[in-house]
């Protein structure tokens, strides 16, 4: 099942079609993670904690759907304030909501890019979780440039300690090593869920920038042609599973 895998693995790639129950498959582990963090690490407060999770959506319609499902699940978790920012809405009203603080942010790539560039109150110091829903569709719609810009700005706004140091010492790096280090978004602290119906070259490139290793749920990476560092069957016990239509 998807939920146990995501709960126990920092990074996960999920293969799931629209309407397959994928939204709950990643929202339930997200809430479990934040609840455990608030109880055992540091109490979450919308203003002090800032944004701890970002959920990317390719369309307004999907963003609204995620928002509706999330609010149902958060009725008992009053401190996990969520908000949605997307094209077609008033940026000023969104700025006002972000200024008050939100723990979980649902967004379309273009609108998040706007706020990363122009909203100083968007606090990412405690960012812990990134979810990319329908990543293949996001790239098919032409959001690759916006996604890469968002990742660069998120990385610049987070503490440098969040990201993995390169294995080579800075003084021993070639120019190519430095370029690759700058492009990577690998982190030991961030948990990443990557949801996609297919694994084409564009999706592969984005996934390799985000994750060094990961669990796979729902499809075989070798069968799809993906050559990243997916955990094999002998490393991850029976993690290939289909997501049911209802969870």
């Amino acid at each position: 099942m998807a939920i146990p895998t995501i709960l126990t693995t920092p990074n996960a790639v999920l293969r799931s079609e629209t309407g397959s129950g994928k939204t709950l498959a990643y929202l339930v582990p997200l809430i479990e993670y934040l609840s455990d963090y608030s109880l055992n690490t540091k109490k979450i407060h919308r203003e002090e904690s800032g944004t701890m999770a970002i959920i990317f959506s390719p369309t307004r319609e999907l963003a609204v759907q995620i928002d509706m499902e999330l609010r149902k699940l958060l009725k008992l978790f009053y401190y996990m304030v969520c908000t949605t920012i997307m094209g077609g809405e008033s940026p000023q009203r969104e700025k006002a909501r972000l200024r008050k603080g939100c723990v979980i942010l649902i967004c379309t790539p273009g609108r998040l890019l706007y706020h990363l560039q122009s909203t100083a109150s968007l606090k990412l110091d405690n960012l812990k979780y990134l979810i990319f829903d329908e990543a293949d569709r996001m790239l098919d719609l032409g959001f690759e440039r916006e996604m890469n810009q968002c990742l660069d700005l998120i990385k610049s706004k987070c503490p440098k300690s969040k990201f993995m140091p390169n294995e080579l010492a800075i003084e021993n790096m070639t120019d190519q090593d430095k370029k690759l280090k700058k492009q990577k978004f690998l982190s030991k602290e961030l948990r990443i869920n990557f949801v996609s119906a297919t694994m084409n070259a564009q999706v592969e490139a984005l996934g390799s920038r985000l994750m060094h290793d990961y669990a796979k749920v729902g499809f075989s990476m070798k069968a799809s042609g993906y050559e990243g560092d997916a955990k094999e069957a002998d490393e991850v016990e029976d993690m290939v599973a289909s997501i049911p239509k209802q969870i």
Side-chain angles (χ1 to χ4, degrees):
M1 295 293 290
I3 291 177
T5 301
I6 298 172
L7 282 170
T8 57
T9 311
N11 300 328
V13 176
L14 291 79
R15 178 182 183 272
S16 180
E17 304 290 344
T18 301
S20 61
K22 62 180 172 58
T23 307
L24 285 177
Y26 63 70
L27 288 182
V28 170
L30 169 63
I31 294 171
E32 166 64 22
Y33 174 83
L34 292 177
S35 174
D36 180 74
Y37 182 92
S38 187
L39 287 171
N40 299 311
T41 304
K42 185 177 181 180
K43 186 172 179 60
I44 292 175
H45 187 277
R46 63 186 296 181
E47 293 180 355
E48 295 177 5
S49 301
T51 299
M52 300 184 70
I54 299 176
I55 304 174
F56 288 89
S57 164
T59 64
R60 287 169 45 89
E61 293 75 17
L62 180 58
V64 170
Q65 176 188 327
I66 297 169
D67 182 275
M68 291 174 61
E69 293 296 327
L70 182 57
R71 290 182 187 277
K72 292 176 186 177
L73 296 173
L74 292 181
K75 288 182 179 179
L76 297 177
F77 302 92
Y78 65 91
Y79 54 90
M80 292 188 200
V81 179
C82 71
T83 195
T84 300
I85 58 175
M86 56 190 177
E89 300 297 322
S90 167
Q92 297 306 316
R93 291 181 180 177
E94 291 176 346
K95 282 177 180 284
R97 297 202 303 272
L98 292 173
R99 196 174 298 116
K100 292 179 182 178
C102 71
V103 176
I104 304 173
L105 178 62
I106 305 164
C107 64
T108 52
R111 186 49 61 93
L112 177 62
L113 178 59
Y114 168 83
H115 285 291
L116 287 169
Q117 293 172 333
S118 62
T119 305
S121 57
L122 181 55
K123 183 180 178 183
L124 301 178
D125 296 24
N126 293 317
L127 185 66
K128 301 292 184 185
Y129 224 112
L130 291 176
I131 297 171
F132 299 83
D133 199 347
E134 295 190 6
D136 52 345
R137 190 178 177 195
M138 210 175 305
L139 296 174
D140 287 343
L141 291 173
F143 286 122
E144 183 175 7
R145 182 175 62 86
E146 286 86 350
M147 287 299 307
N148 285 321
Q149 288 180 297
C150 284
L151 292 176
D152 289 338
L153 287 168
I154 289 171
K155 189 172 181 179
S156 70
K157 290 177 178 291
C158 289
K160 291 183 179 180
S161 59
K162 275 190 184 293
F163 297 93
M164 292 182 179
N166 197 291
E167 293 180 357
L168 299 173
I170 296 292
E171 59 270 16
N172 294 329
M173 284 186 185
T174 65
D175 290 340
Q176 181 67 13
D177 289 331
K178 292 177 182 178
K179 183 179 179 181
L180 290 172
K181 175 181 169 61
K182 184 178 180 181
Q183 291 174 344
K184 291 292 185 180
F185 192 82
L186 304 178
S187 172
K188 292 181 178 179
E189 294 185 27
L190 289 176
R191 301 176 70 91
I192 296 174
N193 291 170
F194 205 72
V195 184
S196 182
T198 60
M199 188 60 75
N200 57 36
Q202 282 184 305
V203 178
E204 176 186 340
L206 179 60
S208 65
R209 184 181 182 189
L210 293 165
M211 297 173 289
H212 177 65
D213 55 16
Y214 47 84
K216 51 187 178 180
V217 180
F219 63 109
S220 168
M221 291 297 181
K222 287 185 176 179
S224 68
Y226 185 58
E227 299 297 335
D229 296 324
K231 296 182 179 179
E232 300 298 336
D234 57 347
E235 296 179 80
V236 181
E237 182 179 355
D238 196 23
M239 283 189 172
V240 178
S242 60
I243 302 173
K245 292 186 177 180
Q246 292 185 346
I247 299 178

